[in-house]
Amino acid sequence: MAKKKSVYYGIWGPAFKGVVDSHKEFKAYVTGKKGMYGKKFTLEQEALDWVENFVSPKEQQQPSASNNACAYAIYGPVFTGIVYTKEEFIDKVFGKKGMRGKKCVNEQQAQKWLEAFAKQQKKKKTQKAVIAPAKITTVEQEHQNRAEQMVIYIDGSFKKDKGTYGIIVYSTHNSEPIYRDFGYVYDEHFNDLQNVGAELMACLRALEWAFANRLQQVCIVYDFEGILHHCYKDSSHTALKIYQEMVHRFKAVMDIYFLHVRHGNKALHAEAHQLTQLIL
């Protein structure tokens, strides 16, 4: 008897972005659902690439102009200028002493921000020197250093009618992760969203850990695009409303950066995914 070929389904839309290997699950996400798109593949990587690079028909119809593209202004001793990808922005700014940056709607706005920030820095240098504050204690300094260097890899999964999440905390001061966590999603509102709810809960758990450890700045590395999407899109669903509210509360007390990676593209993110599979 011939071996059955593996089949993977890429799914893209507001409710879910990712890959499944069940036709039943594929139909549940896509069939009759507004704004949901899907495609069948024989290789998982092809499905992942399709999801990663998918452009909706609405986006295809929008005119593209370089002066309307999102731009990131960066100012500091190592680099001053404009970049156009979030990954490059994070790489040049996050955890780098003296580096400052801002996301702008276009290149012109980024250029204006750079000019204004440069003038502000020049003005500070010309002001009279003031007495330096008391030296920060060793413990406080360590917290400050950790806040500038902390990265949390997150992932979520849904099996046996309950979501699970995994987080891996990494600091550039350490060669190994400093914290790992696994847990179940017990909130039924989040479980109603299945895999989506588990991914969002993973993000909230990561931010709770960052808040509990008094971090002033943290980078969340994720593979589900809804992590960032649901921060800003209004929804009537209870879980999505809770998620949006809590993320904005955390953003009020610390700087949060979001970095998207492909599923399993980073070793530590793959480890976070493995944690989600620890089903009892």
Side-chain angles (χ1 to χ4, degrees), residues 181-193:
D181 192 23
F182 157 83
Y184 284 99
V185 178
Y186 293 107
D187 189 306
E188 291 307 314
H189 295 299
F190 282 81
N191 279 326
D192 285 344
L193 296 176

Side-chain angles (χ1 to χ4, degrees), residues 246-256:
M246 292 309 302
V247 170
H248 284 283
R249 284 191 181 184
F250 285 124
K251 289 183 74 173
V253 295
M254 60 181 157
D255 293 328
I256 304 172

Side-chain angles (χ1 to χ4, degrees), residues 13-248:
F16 176 77
K17 294 181 180 70
V19 176
V20 299
D21 56 7
S22 163
H23 183 66
K24 182 178 179 181
E25 191 174 3
F26 171 74
K27 289 179 64 178
Y29 274 120
V30 177
T31 304
K33 303 298 192 305
K34 185 177 180 180
M36 297 299 295
Y37 302 88
K39 189 174 181 180
K40 177 180 175 181
F41 298 89
T42 56
L43 296 176
E44 184 179 15
Q45 189 58 52
E46 289 181 350
L48 289 168
D49 290 341
W50 180 84
V51 173
E52 178 72 18
N53 300 305
F54 182 83
V55 179
S56 69
K58 183 177 180 181
E59 291 175 319
Q60 292 176 6
Q61 294 173 2
Q62 294 177 348
S64 59
S66 59
N67 61 344
N68 289 329
C70 177
Y72 299 85
I74 300 175
Y75 184 97
V78 178
F79 174 84
T80 296
I82 300 172
V83 297
Y84 299 92
T85 66
K86 186 190 302 181
E87 289 79 5
E88 193 173 4
F89 175 73
I90 293 291
D91 181 64
K92 291 184 181 297
V93 176
F94 185 78
K96 305 298 192 305
K97 186 176 181 180
M99 297 300 294
R100 299 290 184 271
K102 180 179 176 64
K103 179 181 178 181
C104 304
V105 295
N106 53 42
E107 186 176 341
Q108 287 83 353
Q109 187 185 74
Q111 188 62 45
K112 288 182 179 179
W113 182 87
L114 282 173
E115 293 172 358
F117 194 84
K119 289 181 180 179
Q120 182 183 5
Q121 295 301 107
K122 186 176 180 180
K123 184 178 180 181
K124 285 183 178 180
K125 289 181 180 179
T126 58
Q127 292 176 343
K128 293 182 179 180
V130 296
I131 299 175
K135 187 176 180 180
I136 300 175
T137 65
T138 304
V139 174
E140 290 173 333
Q141 183 66 59
E142 176 62 19
H143 275 294
Q144 188 179 71
N145 291 340
R146 287 176 60 194
E148 295 177 351
Q149 306 287 335
M150 210 64 68
V151 180
I152 306 181
Y153 296 79
I154 66 170
D155 201 23
S157 185
F158 188 86
K159 291 184 178 180
K160 297 184 178 180
D161 300 322
K162 193 179 294 293
T164 58
Y165 64 85
I167 67 174
I168 303 287
V169 183
Y170 173 77
S171 168
T172 53
H173 291 176
N174 300 79
S175 59
E176 294 293 329
I178 62 173
Y179 180 76
R180 294 176 174 85
D181 192 23
F182 157 83
Y184 284 99
V185 178
Y186 293 107
D187 189 306
E188 291 307 314
H189 295 299
F190 282 81
N191 279 326
D192 285 344
L193 296 176
Q194 299 186 1
N195 195 75
V196 173
E199 295 276 6
L200 299 181
M201 184 60 72
C203 182
L204 292 182
R205 290 292 175 259
L207 294 176
E208 287 172 357
W209 185 91
F211 178 71
N213 285 273
R214 297 185 291 166
L215 301 188
Q216 298 174 4
Q217 182 172 299
V218 66
C219 178
I220 303 295
V221 181
Y222 64 97
D223 68 344
F224 171 55
E225 293 185 3
I227 291 295
L228 190 58
H229 175 76
H230 290 301
C231 288
Y232 303 101
K233 184 178 180 180
D234 292 333
S235 173
S236 59
H237 194 285
T238 301
L240 297 180
K241 290 170 68 175
I242 292 173
Y243 174 75
Q244 185 179 95
E245 179 185 354
M246 292 309 302
V247 170
H248 284 283

